[in-house]
Amino acid sequence: MDLGIIGLERSGKTTLFQAVTHGHAHVAAHGAMEPSVGVVKIPDERLDRLCAVLHPKKVTHAEVRYLDFPGGLSLRGAGPSGAFLAALSQCDALVHVVRAFRDETVPHPEGSIDPDRDIAAVNLELAFADIGMLERRYEKLEITVRSARAGEREAGERELALVRRLREALEREEPLRAQQLSAEERRIISGYQLLTGKPQLIVVNIDEADVSRAAGIEVDFADRWAGSGVQVAALCAKLERELAELSDEEAAEFRRELGLIEGGLERMLRLSQQVLGLITFFTVNEAEGRAWPIAAGSTALEAAGKVHTDMARGFIRAEAIGWQELAEAGSFAEARKHGLLRTEGKQYIVQDGDLLHMLFNV
Ligand SMILES: Nc1nc2c(ncn2[C@@H]2O[C@H](COP(=O)(O)OP(=O)(O)OP(=O)(O)O)[C@@H](O)[C@H]2O)c(=O)[nH]1
Ligand SMILES: [Mg+2]
């Protein structure tokens, strides 16, 4: 999973990137146009608890990649480069950093601090990029349709009508995420990789002085901006970067003093899994305990395919149990003895927190 960080200039994107990657990132050379890429482990207490009970040799957390691009979206000048937009279109979700911190030594590109204005402006840039993409698509399609034979023309005509409709909705400031589409229409446009169709996590980068009010600020922004495919997290990127440099104990102590219940970064990571529509299942054997992110609504067969293609090909059945039940039982043998392991078939819908043991033939 790739999460692309976007936002206006100097909104705190790189600060957030450094906090979330703890400095473990492949940082692009200064002046290069490529993004810096950081691999981030998703903390999961459930996996930690399971592995503490079952003692696999190795524990593997789920990972996501964060991409930090040089510079920000500028509301003036030539607009974002094609290369930047192309890289964003490859991302699975966008992390949209918006400045709410006050710091006179850091000039705001628009001259004043107004996060709602900035969120709207960045979303508008994304919509413009999509409109441009749809226009180019339309022109190409028109040529193909014109030269197509009568029998092949119909599908092209349908796509043209769809592209026109999407474009009109974007011009009314309806992002693709919010548009009603049939499964067939979704399939057609899945290859377009439109930016307003991507899940978005808005990160309100608040002032150091406001961290004790983070939860309230988050609710306030969520009221206005959260919705289908959009989540909001409020945190102070600069503070989180400082906390990331401390040991876990020191950071926890510091958080307690500040009155923060959940670490801002952990919360952000959890929300980014949510906004991507991902749930987690676990597998644990002697060698490895592992968390697997998967789209909500996936079947046991799809889960098996994540772990190994052979496992899906030779799938017989899965044994399933909630992670907590297994942690309490203490072992697979105990859980089996008490009849806690369920036998599930290919079509079983995997639940968040399931521990799965696949049985398969090769
Ligand atoms: N006071 C305060 N300053 C911050 C915060 N986050 C970032 N800054 C400062 O704002 C400036 C810009 O931060 P960056 O993280 O480089 O912002 P950016 O969005 O990556 O900037 P560009 O890549 O140039 O667009 C730096 O001087 C940061 O130290 C914050 O939460 N509080
Ligand atoms: Mg930066």
Side-chain angles (χ1 to χ4, degrees), residues 18-126:
Q18 288 164 342
V20 79
T21 57
H22 288 237
H24 301 309
H26 171 76
V27 176
H30 188 70
M33 278 316 291
E34 306 95 75
S36 301
V37 179
V39 178
V40 178
K41 284 188 181 19
I42 308 283
D44 196 323
E45 274 183 17
R46 302 169 297 177
L47 178 68
D48 299 338
R49 289 257 320 268
L50 268 177
C51 293
V53 171
L54 298 174
H55 312 294
K57 290 206 179 74
K58 184 172 132 198
V59 181
T60 308
H61 284 85
E63 291 178 343
V64 287
R65 301 199 325 158
Y66 275 78
L67 278 68
D68 181 36
F69 297 89
L73 279 168
S74 171
L75 301 180
R76 287 157 223 297
S81 75
F84 172 56
L85 294 176
L88 277 187
S89 74
Q90 297 301 313
C91 292
D92 299 289
L94 304 177
V95 174
H96 175 171
V97 179
V98 60
R99 170 168 177 178
F101 69 86
R102 307 172 286 274
D103 186 337
E104 276 164 16
T105 65
V106 182
H108 189 294
E110 298 299 296
S112 62
I113 311 296
D114 185 344
D116 287 302
R117 171 201 62 200
D118 294 351
I119 294 172
V122 166
N123 281 337
L124 199 59
E125 283 293 321
L126 300 179

Side-chain angles (χ1 to χ4, degrees), residues 9-15 71-72 101 103 205-206 208 236 238:
E9 301 135 298
R10 296 186 295 279
S11 50
K13 300 178 297 297
T14 300
T15 307
F101 69 86
D103 186 337
N205 187 11
I206 61 174
E208 292 85 322
C236 173
K238 200 171 168 189

Side-chain angles (χ1 to χ4, degrees), residues 321-339:
I321 180 171
W323 73 271
Q324 200 155 14
E325 280 179 291
L326 192 104
E328 279 160 17
S331 70
F332 275 107
E334 276 299 305
R336 198 171 281 120
K337 205 165 86 191
H338 293 98

